[in-house]
Amino acid sequence: MLNEFSKRPLAEAEVAPIVKQAGIARGAFYKYFDDLRDAYRYIYGVAMGSIHVEINEEVNDHTFRPQFYVDQVVAFVDNVGASQYRDLVKMHLRRNESLVDEQFDDSKLSGRQWAAMILSHQVIKQILEEPERRDVLISRLLEVLNLLARKENA
């Protein structure tokens, strides 16, 4: 599955290569997954569980420390780069993100936390597409997050 979803967008993925590579019957695939989208959600969830650094503690206490968000982005990008899931994550961000229903309730986030989340995800996408710009993008993220932090103190 990882190979199929890393090389082909979800809309173009097929069950046949997955079952062939796994050495299982097509029926076995459908025993565990309703469809390709279900299989994709599963493998992407496994990938995120392996890569993602949790930020719940920071969100729950409603603090806003720009360096914390930058550190999370750096850790995520480093973990993706060292992971077997690198190509899957890149494909997800390029082509599949809008095809998968992600249920994230951002209503409990402050405006700054929400902005930090959106900016962080965009910086991650850009770094994965253009790794040579990593330092510039991280610096820009920190600069903007520091501006958001000052807004509260002003």
Side-chain angles (χ1 to χ4, degrees):
M1 267 193 320
L2 178 59
N3 188 47
E4 179 72 1
F5 292 132
S6 295
K7 293 188 178 351
R8 299 173 79 181
L10 179 57
E12 298 170 14
E14 297 177 2
V15 173
I18 293 171
V19 297
K20 182 178 180 182
Q21 185 175 15
I24 62 172
R26 190 176 187 92
F29 175 88
Y30 288 106
K31 178 179 180 182
Y32 295 100
F33 305 107
D34 294 334
D35 54 21
L36 282 168
R37 188 176 301 235
D38 187 34
Y40 181 83
R41 282 188 191 117
Y42 169 77
I43 195 67
Y44 196 74
V46 169
M48 288 300 97
S50 172
I51 296 167
H52 212 287
V53 179
E54 292 294 325
I55 64 167
N56 293 335
E57 181 180 312
E58 182 81 5
V59 171
N60 288 339
D61 74 7
H62 295 285
T63 59
F64 188 80
R65 294 175 299 164
Q67 190 62 51
F68 172 81
Y69 291 96
V70 170
D71 292 345
Q72 295 295 308
V73 168
V74 169
F76 184 85
V77 169
D78 288 348
N79 289 341
V80 168
S83 166
Q84 64 178 329
Y85 302 110
R86 183 178 189 280
D87 292 336
L88 175 70
V89 172
K90 285 180 73 172
M91 181 62 73
H92 179 81
L93 295 173
R94 274 189 204 140
R95 302 282 301 274
N96 295 333
E97 193 170 29
S98 64
L99 300 176
V100 181
D101 303 324
E102 294 195 25
Q103 307 267 327
F104 178 74
D105 179 12
D106 61 6
S107 65
K108 294 190 178 16
L109 299 177
S110 69
R112 288 179 311 158
Q113 289 170 328
W114 177 83
M117 177 188 72
I118 297 298
L119 289 168
S120 295
H121 283 120
Q122 185 58 39
V123 167
I124 288 167
K125 287 179 186 179
Q126 287 185 275
I127 291 172
L128 291 176
E129 289 298 320
E130 303 174 83
E132 69 279 1
R133 295 189 61 222
R134 174 189 171 126
D135 292 344
V136 170
L137 293 165
I138 293 295
S139 293
R140 291 180 84 187
L141 175 63
L142 182 58
E143 177 185 351
V144 172
L145 293 176
N146 279 328
L147 288 171
L148 285 171
R150 284 188 216 124
K151 277 293 197 188
E152 178 184 89
N153 299 330

